[in-house]
Amino acid sequence: MSKKTMVHKGPGYGYQKKREGEPRSCIRFKCTLINTIQDVLRQRAGWVEVKDDSEWDFYWCDVGWLRENFDHIYMEEHVRICHFRNHYELTRKNLMVKNLKRYRKLLEREAGRQEAAKCDFFPRTFELPCEYHLFVEEFKRSPGSTWIMKPVARSQGKGIFLFRKLKDIMDWKKDGNRSEDQKDETQVESYVAQRYIENPYLIGGRKFDLRVYVLVTSYVPLKAWLYRDGFARFSLTRFSLSCIDDHYVHLTNVAVQKTAPDYDPEKGCKWQMQQLRRYLSARHGTQRVEELFRNIDGIFIRSLQSVQKVIINDKHCFELYGYDILLDQALKPWLIEVNASPSLTASSQEDYELKCRLLEDTLHIVDMEGRLTGKEKQIGGFDLMWNDGPVSKDDINLDALGSSTLTANTHLGYVNDRKTQLRQLLKSLSGQKKV
């Protein structure tokens, strides 16, 4: 769809002739993705799909459409769209690290080194080619270490490779993965070079990472929700540092693993988050695992705070982020990357059901129907994690207590009681409207 056809010259997206206070007869949605989200939108009561240049109230768009069209459209008050204008400040690998480094320096100036140290949850990282000389200095300080190269704007494991010799980087710097017709160009694709975590936590000898979902409905003030469900993505091949060229060993992306000769689509390569939490608790004890998950919560909050002042806040926008977290043998969590368009394509029936629940609850929070009070701390499988400050599980006066004494309102990997909770919530809201 071209920019020209999407530039709106009429009343604006979401325009419907209706009396003030009168509910809309239906919610018109558009969706550019053909996967789980399309199924969820089509099954939602009172929602109607529109095509082409028709007016819409809700648009689940891809980031390409956003980049081309966001600045050229006018949206009515109630209209919602699934990305913030410059979401890439957190989701491009180089910008994420740049913002985290800047935020850590700010914390060190304002709150001291101890507070700044809480941001030490991402590996040593350099952007190439612009930080190549800084990278070389660091590389020479730790001879024999393994590094990983990632293109800043690609996903699903594309373009990633591990290396231990500068010669491998020189080859990349010279060729830069360019096609023959690009060989004469001076600019190469930007990458990040990152210290590879050589001691990942293993289960059954295999590496895994966590995919966790965080929904942000506002950056000013910051309002973030954490989903209870998620999953661990496993590699199918036993971990070893002796074969750094084997992507089936080192990359846990499903897009990579499903190309393995022994991949079984029925079994897949995922554990549900509840299963992982039970396993870790059995091995390390409840207290240590609770500390681990508190540290993971801290990664979500501090990474969002690191971009809070640079993201263009817009009441029409929300963002469902897919966080990728890696654990090392000391149970320290590391932030690997944040995805603005986490895969919504299901790899199994169980995966499809998880993503349906996730997306249904996302739509409940976005609340196109106008049913919520704004005071809810749980909606389906989502728990309100941050609302211009930490959210307590208990109803207490946060002004009277230090944030260190409150019990955080997060339940990652616990039982997802969304059906019961939604039934009670919607019944309560229905009763309030009758009154």
Side-chain angles (χ1 to χ4, degrees):
M1 192 175 295
S2 70
K3 183 190 297 186
K4 184 177 179 181
T5 58
M6 289 306 302
V7 174
H8 192 73
K9 297 179 180 178
Y13 284 104
Y15 177 80
Q16 284 180 297
K17 291 182 179 179
K18 61 184 181 68
R19 298 186 188 93
E20 190 173 348
E22 179 186 323
R24 288 181 295 280
S25 57
C26 67
I27 294 162
R28 301 158 304 173
F29 74 86
K30 289 186 74 172
C31 180
T32 55
L33 306 179
I34 306 173
N35 53 33
T36 313
I37 181 58
Q38 190 178 68
D39 293 345
V40 170
L41 289 167
R42 286 176 174 174
Q43 292 165 12
R44 197 164 179 85
W47 289 49
V48 177
E49 187 170 10
V50 295
K51 301 283 189 182
D52 302 324
D53 292 341
S54 301
E55 299 289 354
W56 46 267
D57 305 303
F58 180 96
Y59 194 0
W60 198 286
C61 67
D62 57 50
V63 294
W65 183 95
L66 185 88
R67 185 170 54 249
E68 290 291 317
N69 297 285
F70 189 88
D71 294 334
H72 307 286
I73 59 175
Y74 167 73
M75 290 183 280
E76 291 286 323
E77 179 82 14
H78 69 280
V79 168
R80 294 294 180 269
I81 196 165
C82 68
H83 295 291
F84 286 92
R85 175 67 184 85
N86 58 335
H87 60 86
Y88 46 78
E89 292 286 351
L90 183 59
T91 58
R92 278 178 69 106
K93 299 174 185 71
N94 56 334
L95 296 180
M96 179 191 82
V97 170
K98 175 185 173 183
N99 285 311
L100 283 169
K101 287 178 177 177
R102 178 182 48 77
Y103 184 63
R104 185 168 57 187
K105 286 180 181 177
L106 176 70
L107 283 179
E108 188 168 349
R109 281 199 310 271
E110 296 186 351
R113 288 186 178 180
Q114 190 172 353
E115 191 65 26
K118 294 177 182 177
C119 286
D120 291 337
F121 50 71
F122 57 98
R124 192 89 167 123
T125 306
F126 299 88
E127 183 178 357
L128 303 185
C130 63
E131 293 182 326
Y132 178 74
H133 296 294
L134 291 173
F135 160 71
V136 170
E137 289 178 19
E138 180 67 22
F139 182 90
K140 290 179 177 178
R141 277 196 286 267
S142 52
S145 295
T146 307
W147 292 75
I148 186 167
M149 283 278 279
K150 305 175 185 178
V152 301
R154 288 200 256 171
S155 60
Q156 299 184 323
K158 294 172 186 171
I160 295 178
F161 63 93
L162 278 65
F163 66 97
R164 292 196 184 110
K165 298 177 181 178
L166 274 181
K167 173 183 173 296
D168 299 329
I169 294 297
M170 297 306 293
D171 291 342
W172 164 82
K173 191 179 178 186
K174 184 168 60 181
D175 293 330
N177 280 346
R178 289 173 287 174
S179 60
E180 287 301 320
D181 59 348
Q182 292 175 313
K183 292 293 183 183
D184 294 331
E185 295 179 16
T186 55
Q187 186 175 1
V188 298
E189 182 179 9
S190 291
Y191 272 64
V192 291
Q194 201 168 62
R195 277 291 290 267
Y196 186 63
I197 296 169
E198 297 178 319
N199 63 332
Y201 191 99
L202 305 178
I203 295 179
R206 291 166 175 80
K207 179 181 172 180
F208 66 94
D209 70 358
L210 310 182
R211 167 56 59 86
V212 187
Y213 297 100
V214 173
L215 175 65
V216 175
T217 52
S218 169
Y219 270 99
V220 184
L222 180 60
K223 190 168 186 177
W225 302 75
L226 175 63
Y227 205 61
R228 296 186 176 199
D229 294 342
F231 47 83
R233 305 179 298 184
F234 285 82
S235 61
L236 292 172
T237 306
R238 294 180 70 86
F239 183 79
S240 170
L241 285 172
S242 63
C243 47
I244 63 172
D245 294 329
D246 191 341
H247 283 187
Y248 298 130
V249 171
H250 299 285
L251 304 186
T252 59
N253 311 67
V254 175
V256 172
Q257 294 297 325
K258 70 181 182 182
T259 65
D262 55 346
Y263 178 75
D264 183 348
E266 291 298 317
K267 292 182 180 178
C269 48
K270 294 179 180 178
W271 273 15
Q272 296 300 307
M273 192 66 71
Q274 288 82 353
Q275 183 181 359
L276 178 72
R277 187 159 190 156
R278 286 196 301 269
Y279 175 89
L280 293 174
S281 297
R283 288 204 64 185
H284 302 286
T286 302
Q287 188 173 352
R288 193 171 180 199
V289 172
E290 284 180 351
E291 180 186 0
L292 163 65
F293 278 78
R294 278 196 302 272
N295 291 335
I296 294 174
D297 291 347
I299 290 177
F300 304 141
I301 296 303
R302 292 182 185 95
S303 61
L304 293 173
Q305 288 175 327
S306 76
V307 297
Q308 187 178 7
K309 292 184 178 179
V310 295
I311 292 283
I312 301 168
N313 193 60
D314 191 309
K315 63 187 175 186
H316 299 103
C317 303
F318 66 94
E319 195 92 42
L320 179 63
Y321 292 110
Y323 273 77
D324 293 343
I325 307 288
L326 182 74
L327 308 183
D328 67 17
Q329 289 173 1
L331 283 187
K332 174 181 170 66
W334 296 88
L335 175 59
I336 303 303
E337 64 179 291
V338 185
N339 299 274
S341 300
S343 173
L344 300 178
T345 301
S347 58
S348 66
Q349 183 61 31
E350 184 179 46
D351 195 43
Y352 179 78
E353 291 169 3
L354 182 153
K355 286 171 178 173
C356 282
R357 296 192 298 267
L358 167 74
L359 293 167
E360 287 168 4
D361 293 344
T362 297
L363 297 180
H364 290 322
I365 290 175
V366 174
D367 192 27
M368 295 297 294
E369 295 87 352
R371 295 179 293 196
L372 303 179
T373 65
K375 298 179 181 178
E376 293 83 3
K377 293 206 290 191
Q378 181 187 354
I379 298 175
F382 275 108
D383 296 292
L384 184 59
M385 172 172 55
W386 194 269
N387 189 14
D388 202 21
V391 178
S392 169
K393 188 187 303 184
D394 310 305
D395 291 322
I396 58 174
N397 181 0
L398 296 186
D399 294 330
L401 291 171
S403 60
S404 60
T405 64
L406 64 84
T407 305
N409 186 46
T410 55
H411 304 83
L412 179 61
Y414 283 115
V415 173
N416 188 349
D417 60 347
R418 63 180 295 274
K419 281 189 176 180
T420 302
Q421 195 275 337
L422 284 172
R423 191 162 51 244
Q424 293 172 346
L425 175 64
L426 295 175
K427 184 178 179 181
S428 167
L429 294 171
S430 177
Q432 289 176 27
K433 289 199 172 182
K434 286 177 183 176
V435 172

